[in-house]
């Protein structure tokens, strides 16, 4: 397993202001949410109080509120700001939701696990529009081999998780999220001059081909 890398997690457009979603990455359950000021957070999807999924909670301003007992956790550091049952008591500094490194680049939210550099210098900001995602029940190497055979080029700086296709007018970018050991989510992004509808048949065919190949080798 490659560690210490940025992983494309979810298109930015899918996490709106005040929204929180559950996402799996490498089998890890995380909560992705955007504060009312637009700051994106990626946290372990577990309240430190009773382990309830934080993705069931609600965004209030710059905080995420657990759905169970209403504990309130601050954006950026995850520190518990308020315990409704003890409104006059300040929570200890050690009481925090676990947060992971996060950044937004080229229309995607990127997950960085624990400690990583502020921004990888190899990242280039590209104006991309979201064109669709598909989750496929195959391994990451199988998807990578498929893209290679389809004529796409691996963007080396992203460790096989970013691909491009400059053929014709599509200007396609493919980003891979290793969801679980045998599950990969494929995100299609396009330069703004291209039409997103061009990607729908490509994604559908990719899933059909890969899953058919998996069945044929079962």
């Amino acid at each position: 397993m490659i560690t210490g890398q940025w992983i494309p997690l979810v298109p930015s457009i899918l996490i709106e202001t005040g929204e929180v979603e559950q996402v799996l990455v490498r089998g890890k359950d995380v909560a992705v949410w955007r504060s009312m000021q637009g700051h994106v957070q990626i946290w372990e999807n577990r309240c430190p109080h009773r382990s309830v999924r934080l993705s069931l909670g609600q965004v209030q301003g710059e905080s995420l509120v657990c759905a169970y007992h209403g504990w309130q956790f601050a954006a950026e550091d995850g520190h518990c700001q308020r315990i409704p049952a003890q409104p006059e008591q300040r929570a200890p500094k050690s009481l925090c939701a676990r947060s992971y490194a996060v950044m937004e680049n080229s229309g995607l939210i990127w997950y960085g696990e624990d400690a990583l550099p502020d921004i990888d210098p190899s990242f280039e900001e590209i104006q991309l529009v979201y064109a669709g995602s598909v989750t496929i029940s195959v391994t990451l190497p199988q998807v990578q081999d498929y893209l290679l055979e389809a004529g796409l080029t691996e963007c080396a700086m992203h460790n096989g998780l970013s691909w491009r296709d400059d053929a014709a007018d599509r200007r396609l970018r493919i980003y891979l999220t290793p969801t679980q050991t045998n599950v990969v989510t494929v995100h299609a992004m396009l330069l703004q001059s291209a039409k997103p509808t061009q990607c729908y048949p490509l994604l559908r065919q990719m899933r059909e081909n890969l899953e058919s190949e998996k069945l044929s080798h079962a």
Side-chain angles (χ1 to χ4, degrees), residues 140-205:
L140 180 61
Q142 285 176 298
V143 178
Q144 292 168 330
D145 288 345
Y146 177 91
L147 294 174
L148 190 63
E149 292 175 2
L152 275 73
T153 303
E154 178 184 346
C155 299
M157 73 284 287
H158 297 150
N159 296 308
L161 300 180
S162 175
W163 297 72
R164 68 174 184 266
D165 180 8
D166 296 332
D169 295 324
R170 289 191 305 197
R171 307 295 294 177
L172 172 68
R173 300 292 189 276
I174 291 291
Y175 295 91
L176 308 179
T177 303
T179 307
Q180 300 183 72
T181 302
N182 295 313
V183 180
V184 178
T185 300
V186 180
H187 308 289
M189 307 288 289
L190 292 169
L191 295 184
Q192 290 183 336
S193 58
K195 296 180 180 180
T197 52
Q198 293 175 319
C199 276
Y200 302 155
L202 181 147
L203 289 170
R204 182 169 60 250
Q205 192 63 49

Side-chain angles (χ1 to χ4, degrees), residues 7 12 15 36 44 53 71 82 103 110 120 127 134 176 180:
I7 297 174
S12 295
I15 307 296
M36 298 308 293
E44 181 181 16
R53 286 193 178 100
W71 287 32
R82 183 173 182 272
M103 73 170 177
W110 297 75
D120 188 325
Q127 297 301 315
V134 62
L176 308 179
Q180 300 183 72

Side-chain angles (χ1 to χ4, degrees), residues 7-9 23-30 32 42 100 111-113 176-181:
I7 297 174
L9 189 63
V23 180
L24 289 177
V25 54
R26 288 180 171 165
K28 183 179 296 183
D29 189 1
V30 299
V32 185
I42 301 177
Y100 300 106
Y111 162 79
E113 278 188 318
L176 308 179
T177 303
T179 307
Q180 300 183 72
T181 302

Side-chain angles (χ1 to χ4, degrees), residues 13 20 50 56 79-80 91 100 115 117 148 152 208 213:
I13 197 173
V20 54
R50 294 292 186 183
L56 299 174
H79 180 247
C80 183
Y100 300 106
L148 190 63
L152 275 73
E208 291 175 356
E213 181 180 346

Side-chain angles (χ1 to χ4, degrees), residues 28-42:
K28 183 179 296 183
D29 189 1
V30 299
V32 185
W33 64 283
R34 191 184 296 276
S35 75
M36 298 308 293
Q37 292 186 12
H39 301 126
V40 176
Q41 310 291 314
I42 301 177

